[in-house]
Amino acid sequence: MSEPVVEDDPQSRRRAVVRQSLSVAVATGLYGVSFGALSVAAGLTTWQTVALSLLLFSGGSQFALVGVIAAGGSGVSAVATSTLLGVRNGLYGLQVNRLLQARGWRRVLAAHVTIDESTAVGVAQPEPALSRVGFWWTGLGVFVGWNVTTFVGALVGNALGDPRRYGLDAAAVAAFIALLWPRLGTGEARVVAVGAAAIALLLAPHTAAGVPVLAASAAAVVAGLLPRRTQGA
Amino acid sequence: MSAWTTVLLAAGAAYALKLAGYVVPAHLLEGPVVSRMVRLLPIALLAALVVVQAFVSPGGGLVVDARTAALGVAVVALLLRAPFIVVVVAAAATAAGLRAVGIG
Protein backbone atom coordinates (compact mmCIF):
# COMPACT_ATOMS: atom_id res chain seq x y z
CA MET A 1 0.00 0.00 0.00
CA SER A 2 1.51 3.34 -1.02
CA GLU A 3 0.76 6.68 0.59
CA PRO A 4 -1.61 9.00 -1.34
CA VAL A 5 0.03 11.75 -3.36
CA VAL A 6 0.57 15.10 -1.65
CA GLU A 7 -2.31 16.90 -3.42
CA ASP A 8 -4.74 14.39 -1.97
CA ASP A 9 -3.77 14.76 1.66
CA PRO A 10 -6.39 16.57 3.74
CA GLN A 11 -4.00 19.22 5.05
CA SER A 12 -2.94 20.47 1.63
CA ARG A 13 -6.50 20.43 0.31
CA ARG A 14 -7.53 22.47 3.33
CA ARG A 15 -4.71 24.94 2.69
CA ALA A 16 -5.80 25.27 -0.95
CA VAL A 17 -9.34 26.19 0.16
CA VAL A 18 -7.99 28.73 2.66
CA ARG A 19 -5.86 30.32 -0.09
CA GLN A 20 -8.88 30.51 -2.39
CA SER A 21 -10.95 32.09 0.39
CA LEU A 22 -8.33 34.71 1.17
CA SER A 23 -7.92 35.67 -2.48
CA VAL A 24 -11.69 36.22 -2.72
CA ALA A 25 -11.54 38.29 0.49
CA VAL A 26 -8.77 40.52 -0.88
CA ALA A 27 -10.53 41.03 -4.23
CA THR A 28 -13.83 41.88 -2.53
CA GLY A 29 -12.13 44.14 -0.03
CA LEU A 30 -10.87 46.29 -2.89
CA TYR A 31 -14.34 47.41 -3.76
CA GLY A 32 -15.06 48.35 -0.19
CA VAL A 33 -13.06 51.49 -1.01
CA SER A 34 -15.51 52.43 -3.76
CA PHE A 35 -18.47 51.72 -1.48
CA GLY A 36 -17.06 53.90 1.31
CA ALA A 37 -16.39 56.79 -1.05
CA LEU A 38 -19.82 56.53 -2.73
CA SER A 39 -21.62 56.36 0.59
CA VAL A 40 -20.20 59.62 1.92
CA ALA A 41 -20.70 61.18 -1.53
CA ALA A 42 -24.39 60.24 -1.21
CA GLY A 43 -24.57 62.25 2.01
CA LEU A 44 -24.16 59.60 4.71
CA THR A 45 -21.65 60.28 7.47
CA THR A 46 -18.49 58.25 7.94
CA TRP A 47 -20.06 56.41 10.91
CA GLN A 48 -23.27 55.64 9.03
CA THR A 49 -21.10 54.27 6.22
CA VAL A 50 -19.09 52.14 8.65
CA ALA A 51 -22.32 50.92 10.29
CA LEU A 52 -23.67 49.75 6.91
CA SER A 53 -20.63 47.59 6.27
CA LEU A 54 -20.56 46.22 9.83
CA LEU A 55 -24.29 45.59 10.26
CA LEU A 56 -25.87 45.26 6.82
CA PHE A 57 -22.82 43.54 5.28
CA SER A 58 -24.11 42.69 1.81
CA GLY A 59 -22.39 44.60 -0.99
CA GLY A 60 -25.22 44.79 -3.52
CA SER A 61 -27.72 45.98 -0.90
CA GLN A 62 -25.27 48.57 0.44
CA PHE A 63 -24.51 50.00 -3.02
CA ALA A 64 -28.26 50.08 -3.77
CA LEU A 65 -29.12 51.83 -0.51
CA VAL A 66 -26.65 54.66 -1.05
CA GLY A 67 -27.51 54.77 -4.78
CA VAL A 68 -31.18 55.41 -4.05
CA ILE A 69 -30.27 58.05 -1.44
CA ALA A 70 -27.83 59.72 -3.87
CA ALA A 71 -30.57 59.87 -6.50
CA GLY A 72 -32.85 61.68 -4.03
CA GLY A 73 -35.04 58.71 -3.14
CA SER A 74 -36.80 58.43 0.23
CA GLY A 75 -35.53 56.37 3.14
CA VAL A 76 -38.42 53.97 2.63
CA SER A 77 -37.52 53.26 -0.99
CA ALA A 78 -33.84 52.95 -0.06
CA VAL A 79 -34.64 50.34 2.62
CA ALA A 80 -37.06 48.52 0.31
CA THR A 81 -34.55 48.31 -2.56
CA SER A 82 -31.77 47.18 -0.23
CA THR A 83 -34.04 44.54 1.32
CA LEU A 84 -35.26 43.14 -2.01
CA LEU A 85 -31.64 42.79 -3.10
CA GLY A 86 -30.95 40.86 0.11
CA VAL A 87 -33.70 38.26 -0.45
CA ARG A 88 -31.24 35.95 -2.20
CA ASN A 89 -29.17 35.70 0.99
CA GLY A 90 -32.10 33.82 2.55
CA LEU A 91 -31.79 31.09 -0.07
CA TYR A 92 -28.03 31.05 0.42
CA GLY A 93 -28.63 30.42 4.13
CA LEU A 94 -30.75 27.41 3.22
CA GLN A 95 -27.92 25.89 1.14
CA VAL A 96 -25.17 26.75 3.61
CA ASN A 97 -27.13 25.45 6.61
CA ARG A 98 -27.10 21.94 5.12
CA LEU A 99 -23.32 22.00 4.80
CA LEU A 100 -22.51 23.83 8.00
CA GLN A 101 -24.75 22.19 10.62
CA ALA A 102 -23.95 25.19 12.85
CA ARG A 103 -25.74 25.61 16.17
CA GLY A 104 -26.08 28.39 18.77
CA TRP A 105 -23.84 31.44 18.45
CA ARG A 106 -22.05 29.93 15.45
CA ARG A 107 -25.35 29.92 13.57
CA VAL A 108 -26.01 33.55 14.56
CA LEU A 109 -22.57 34.49 13.20
CA ALA A 110 -22.86 32.26 10.12
CA ALA A 111 -26.09 34.02 9.12
CA HIS A 112 -24.36 37.41 9.27
CA VAL A 113 -21.57 36.35 6.89
CA THR A 114 -23.93 34.52 4.48
CA ILE A 115 -23.31 36.50 1.28
CA ASP A 116 -22.56 35.82 -2.41
CA GLU A 117 -18.86 35.15 -1.90
CA SER A 118 -18.93 32.90 1.19
CA THR A 119 -21.78 30.83 -0.26
CA ALA A 120 -20.07 30.46 -3.63
CA VAL A 121 -16.77 29.27 -2.15
CA GLY A 122 -18.55 27.04 0.39
CA VAL A 123 -20.84 25.19 -2.00
CA ALA A 124 -18.08 24.81 -4.62
CA GLN A 125 -16.08 22.40 -2.42
CA PRO A 126 -16.31 18.64 -3.07
CA GLU A 127 -16.83 17.58 0.58
CA PRO A 128 -18.61 19.08 3.63
CA ALA A 129 -15.45 19.52 5.72
CA LEU A 130 -13.86 21.66 3.00
CA SER A 131 -17.16 23.52 2.47
CA ARG A 132 -17.07 24.60 6.09
CA VAL A 133 -13.47 25.79 5.75
CA GLY A 134 -14.33 27.71 2.56
CA PHE A 135 -17.50 29.29 3.96
CA TRP A 136 -15.94 30.49 7.22
CA TRP A 137 -12.61 31.69 5.84
CA THR A 138 -14.32 33.52 2.97
CA GLY A 139 -17.12 34.96 5.10
CA LEU A 140 -14.89 36.20 7.90
CA GLY A 141 -12.09 37.23 5.51
CA VAL A 142 -14.46 39.32 3.38
CA PHE A 143 -16.00 40.80 6.55
CA VAL A 144 -12.62 42.04 7.79
CA GLY A 145 -11.43 43.27 4.38
CA TRP A 146 -14.73 44.92 3.48
CA ASN A 147 -14.97 46.83 6.75
CA VAL A 148 -11.37 48.05 6.74
CA THR A 149 -11.61 49.24 3.13
CA THR A 150 -15.04 50.82 3.67
CA PHE A 151 -13.51 53.02 6.37
CA VAL A 152 -10.60 53.95 4.09
CA GLY A 153 -13.04 54.71 1.27
CA ALA A 154 -15.16 56.93 3.50
CA LEU A 155 -12.08 58.94 4.48
CA VAL A 156 -11.06 59.22 0.81
CA GLY A 157 -14.57 60.27 -0.16
CA ASN A 158 -14.63 62.98 2.51
CA ALA A 159 -11.23 64.26 1.36
CA LEU A 160 -12.35 64.43 -2.29
CA GLY A 161 -15.31 66.74 -1.66
CA ASP A 162 -17.63 67.34 -4.64
CA PRO A 163 -18.47 63.81 -5.83
CA ARG A 164 -19.25 64.87 -9.41
CA ARG A 165 -15.86 66.47 -9.96
CA TYR A 166 -14.13 63.10 -9.47
CA GLY A 167 -16.79 61.12 -11.30
CA LEU A 168 -18.02 59.33 -8.17
CA ASP A 169 -21.59 59.35 -9.50
CA ALA A 170 -20.30 57.54 -12.59
CA ALA A 171 -18.41 55.14 -10.31
CA ALA A 172 -21.81 54.12 -8.91
CA VAL A 173 -23.07 53.33 -12.42
CA ALA A 174 -19.97 51.20 -13.01
CA ALA A 175 -20.39 49.41 -9.67
CA PHE A 176 -23.95 48.40 -10.54
CA ILE A 177 -23.11 47.16 -14.05
CA ALA A 178 -20.12 45.23 -12.65
CA LEU A 179 -22.35 43.57 -10.03
CA LEU A 180 -24.93 42.77 -12.72
CA TRP A 181 -22.52 41.49 -15.40
CA PRO A 182 -21.71 38.01 -14.02
CA ARG A 183 -25.43 37.29 -13.55
CA LEU A 184 -26.31 37.79 -17.24
CA GLY A 185 -25.25 34.30 -18.34
CA THR A 186 -28.66 33.05 -19.50
CA GLY A 187 -31.10 34.39 -22.07
CA GLU A 188 -33.77 34.59 -19.39
CA ALA A 189 -31.49 36.79 -17.25
CA ARG A 190 -30.82 39.16 -20.15
CA VAL A 191 -34.53 39.47 -20.98
CA VAL A 192 -35.30 40.30 -17.35
CA ALA A 193 -32.48 42.87 -17.26
CA VAL A 194 -33.73 44.63 -20.41
CA GLY A 195 -37.34 44.53 -19.19
CA ALA A 196 -36.39 45.96 -15.80
CA ALA A 197 -34.29 48.70 -17.40
CA ALA A 198 -37.21 49.65 -19.67
CA ILE A 199 -39.66 49.81 -16.75
CA ALA A 200 -37.29 52.04 -14.77
CA LEU A 201 -36.67 54.44 -17.67
CA LEU A 202 -40.38 54.68 -18.53
CA LEU A 203 -41.33 55.48 -14.94
CA ALA A 204 -38.44 57.80 -14.02
CA PRO A 205 -39.88 61.03 -15.48
CA HIS A 206 -43.25 60.47 -13.79
CA THR A 207 -42.51 59.08 -10.30
CA ALA A 208 -40.53 59.98 -7.20
CA ALA A 209 -36.86 58.93 -7.14
CA GLY A 210 -36.47 55.37 -5.90
CA VAL A 211 -39.84 54.20 -7.23
CA PRO A 212 -38.60 53.20 -10.74
CA VAL A 213 -36.08 50.73 -9.32
CA LEU A 214 -38.63 49.12 -7.00
CA ALA A 215 -41.20 48.88 -9.79
CA ALA A 216 -38.61 47.23 -12.04
CA SER A 217 -38.50 44.27 -9.64
CA ALA A 218 -41.84 43.32 -11.21
CA ALA A 219 -39.83 42.07 -14.21
CA ALA A 220 -38.36 39.33 -12.00
CA VAL A 221 -41.73 38.41 -10.51
CA VAL A 222 -43.40 38.16 -13.93
CA ALA A 223 -40.52 36.12 -15.37
CA GLY A 224 -40.61 33.80 -12.35
CA LEU A 225 -44.33 33.14 -12.88
CA LEU A 226 -44.13 32.55 -16.65
CA PRO A 227 -44.02 28.90 -17.70
CA ARG A 228 -40.53 27.75 -18.65
CA ARG A 229 -40.04 27.19 -22.34
CA THR A 230 -37.09 25.03 -23.38
CA GLN A 231 -35.14 24.15 -20.27
CA GLY A 232 -37.57 21.40 -19.23
CA ALA A 233 -38.74 20.54 -15.73
CA MET B 1 -36.95 58.92 8.04
CA SER B 2 -33.54 59.94 9.40
CA ALA B 3 -30.39 58.57 7.82
CA TRP B 4 -29.63 56.51 10.94
CA THR B 5 -33.12 55.00 10.87
CA THR B 6 -32.63 54.09 7.21
CA VAL B 7 -29.25 52.48 7.93
CA LEU B 8 -30.48 50.47 10.93
CA LEU B 9 -33.78 49.37 9.37
CA ALA B 10 -31.98 48.16 6.24
CA ALA B 11 -29.40 46.33 8.36
CA GLY B 12 -32.10 44.67 10.48
CA ALA B 13 -34.05 43.54 7.43
CA ALA B 14 -30.89 42.20 5.77
CA TYR B 15 -30.00 40.14 8.85
CA ALA B 16 -33.55 38.82 9.21
CA LEU B 17 -33.44 37.55 5.62
CA LYS B 18 -30.04 35.90 6.13
CA LEU B 19 -31.18 34.21 9.34
CA ALA B 20 -34.46 33.08 7.73
CA GLY B 21 -32.49 30.68 5.52
CA TYR B 22 -31.20 28.93 8.65
CA VAL B 23 -34.37 28.76 10.70
CA VAL B 24 -37.34 28.65 8.29
CA PRO B 25 -38.27 25.08 7.24
CA ALA B 26 -36.67 24.37 3.84
CA HIS B 27 -39.89 23.39 2.08
CA LEU B 28 -41.28 26.90 2.54
CA LEU B 29 -38.41 28.48 0.62
CA GLU B 30 -37.87 25.89 -2.09
CA GLY B 31 -39.89 25.30 -5.22
CA PRO B 32 -39.21 26.31 -8.82
CA VAL B 33 -41.20 29.56 -8.94
CA VAL B 34 -39.77 31.01 -5.74
CA SER B 35 -36.19 30.04 -6.55
CA ARG B 36 -36.43 31.53 -10.05
CA MET B 37 -37.83 34.78 -8.71
CA VAL B 38 -35.11 34.97 -6.09
CA ARG B 39 -32.44 34.37 -8.75
CA LEU B 40 -33.93 36.98 -11.12
CA LEU B 41 -34.68 39.64 -8.50
CA PRO B 42 -31.12 41.01 -8.15
CA ILE B 43 -30.81 41.07 -11.95
CA ALA B 44 -33.92 43.24 -12.31
CA LEU B 45 -32.94 45.59 -9.49
CA LEU B 46 -29.31 46.00 -10.60
CA ALA B 47 -30.34 46.60 -14.24
CA ALA B 48 -32.78 49.28 -13.09
CA LEU B 49 -30.13 50.88 -10.87
CA VAL B 50 -27.70 50.98 -13.81
CA VAL B 51 -30.06 52.86 -16.12
CA VAL B 52 -31.41 55.17 -13.42
CA GLN B 53 -27.89 56.17 -12.37
CA ALA B 54 -26.71 56.55 -15.97
CA PHE B 55 -29.66 58.26 -17.68
CA VAL B 56 -31.93 59.95 -15.12
CA SER B 57 -31.21 63.55 -14.10
CA PRO B 58 -31.88 64.73 -10.52
CA GLY B 59 -35.17 66.24 -11.75
CA GLY B 60 -36.35 62.89 -13.14
CA GLY B 61 -35.80 63.63 -16.86
CA LEU B 62 -33.77 61.38 -19.13
CA VAL B 63 -30.35 62.74 -20.15
CA VAL B 64 -27.20 61.61 -21.93
CA ASP B 65 -24.15 63.04 -20.12
CA ALA B 66 -20.75 62.15 -18.69
CA ARG B 67 -22.31 59.31 -16.67
CA THR B 68 -23.62 57.71 -19.86
CA ALA B 69 -20.16 57.84 -21.42
CA ALA B 70 -18.76 56.32 -18.23
CA LEU B 71 -21.26 53.45 -18.52
CA GLY B 72 -19.96 52.77 -22.04
CA VAL B 73 -16.39 52.66 -20.75
CA ALA B 74 -17.44 50.32 -17.91
CA VAL B 75 -19.07 47.92 -20.39
CA VAL B 76 -15.92 47.88 -22.54
CA ALA B 77 -13.82 47.20 -19.42
CA LEU B 78 -16.13 44.32 -18.45
CA LEU B 79 -15.92 42.87 -21.98
CA LEU B 80 -12.13 42.96 -21.56
CA ARG B 81 -12.58 41.05 -18.25
CA ALA B 82 -11.16 43.85 -16.15
CA PRO B 83 -11.47 43.42 -12.37
CA PHE B 84 -14.18 45.31 -10.46
CA ILE B 85 -11.93 48.08 -9.17
CA VAL B 86 -10.55 48.80 -12.67
CA VAL B 87 -14.09 49.04 -14.08
CA VAL B 88 -15.10 51.50 -11.38
CA VAL B 89 -11.96 53.66 -11.62
CA ALA B 90 -12.08 53.76 -15.44
CA ALA B 91 -15.69 54.93 -15.34
CA ALA B 92 -15.01 57.59 -12.70
CA ALA B 93 -11.97 58.85 -14.61
CA THR B 94 -14.01 59.08 -17.83
CA ALA B 95 -16.70 61.21 -16.20
CA ALA B 96 -14.18 63.35 -14.32
CA GLY B 97 -12.17 63.92 -17.51
CA LEU B 98 -15.21 64.88 -19.58
CA ARG B 99 -16.38 67.32 -16.91
CA ALA B 100 -12.90 68.81 -16.60
CA VAL B 101 -13.14 69.83 -20.26
CA GLY B 102 -16.70 71.06 -19.82
CA ILE B 103 -18.72 68.13 -21.24
CA GLY B 104 -21.63 66.59 -19.32
Side-chain angles (χ1 to χ4, degrees), chain A residues 19 31 62 123 149 182 202-203 211 221:
Chain A
R19 268 198 307 277
Y31 47 104
Q62 292 179 230
V123 302
T149 55
L202 286 171
L203 289 180
V211 173
V221 175

Side-chain angles (χ1 to χ4, degrees), chain A residues 21-174:
Chain A
S21 301
L22 292 180
S23 66
V24 170
V26 169
T28 311
L30 283 176
Y31 47 104
V33 177
S34 43
F35 169 72
L38 287 174
S39 181
V40 295
L44 294 182
T45 65
T46 301
W47 296 117
Q48 285 160 352
T49 300
V50 165
L52 279 174
S53 281
L54 277 173
L55 303 175
L56 200 162
F57 189 52
S58 191
S61 291
Q62 292 179 230
F63 275 111
L65 184 106
V66 302
V68 171
I69 291 173
S74 68
V76 172
S77 56
V79 171
T81 305
S82 159
T83 303
L84 282 175
L85 263 171
V87 168
R88 69 188 189 288
N89 291 330
L91 283 212
Y92 293 163
L94 194 63
Q95 296 172 346
V96 171
N97 191 31
R98 294 198 177 113
L99 298 167
L100 225 53
Q101 306 291 329
R103 293 280 174 273
W105 67 269
R106 282 174 179 271
R107 175 183 274 194
V108 170
L109 184 60
H112 192 51
V113 297
T114 299
I115 54 171
D116 291 329
E117 291 81 6
S118 56
T119 305
V121 175
V123 302
Q125 306 309 324
E127 53 184 275
L130 293 178
S131 287
R132 288 192 281 274
V133 172
F135 173 82
W136 282 111
W137 277 87
T138 307
L140 296 174
V142 170
F143 186 77
V144 171
W146 180 250
N147 278 286
V148 169
T149 55
T150 292
F151 185 62
V152 172
L155 297 181
V156 170
N158 280 329
L160 288 181
D162 177 15
R164 280 175 44 87
R165 185 171 164 207
Y166 294 95
L168 284 184
D169 51 344
V173 178

Side-chain angles (χ1 to χ4, degrees), chain B:
Chain B
M1 194 188 297
S2 80
W4 270 115
T5 311
T6 303
V7 165
L8 296 176
L9 272 181
Y15 187 74
L17 283 169
K18 289 172 178 173
L19 191 63
Y22 289 80
V23 297
V24 173
H27 67 88
L28 294 180
L29 297 176
E30 286 178 321
V33 172
V34 171
S35 64
R36 273 172 83 198
M37 278 188 202
V38 169
R39 189 169 45 77
L40 294 172
L41 198 51
I43 293 167
L45 291 164
L46 290 169
L49 283 161
V50 168
V51 296
V52 165
Q53 303 270 325
F55 296 101
V56 178
S57 70
L62 303 185
V63 291
V64 172
D65 59 17
R67 298 172 305 163
T68 323
L71 173 61
V73 169
V75 168
V76 171
L78 287 164
L79 287 170
L80 296 173
R81 300 177 181 277
F84 186 96
I85 196 74
V86 173
V87 175
V88 169
V89 170
T94 301
L98 286 172
R99 285 172 185 152
V101 296
I103 304 170

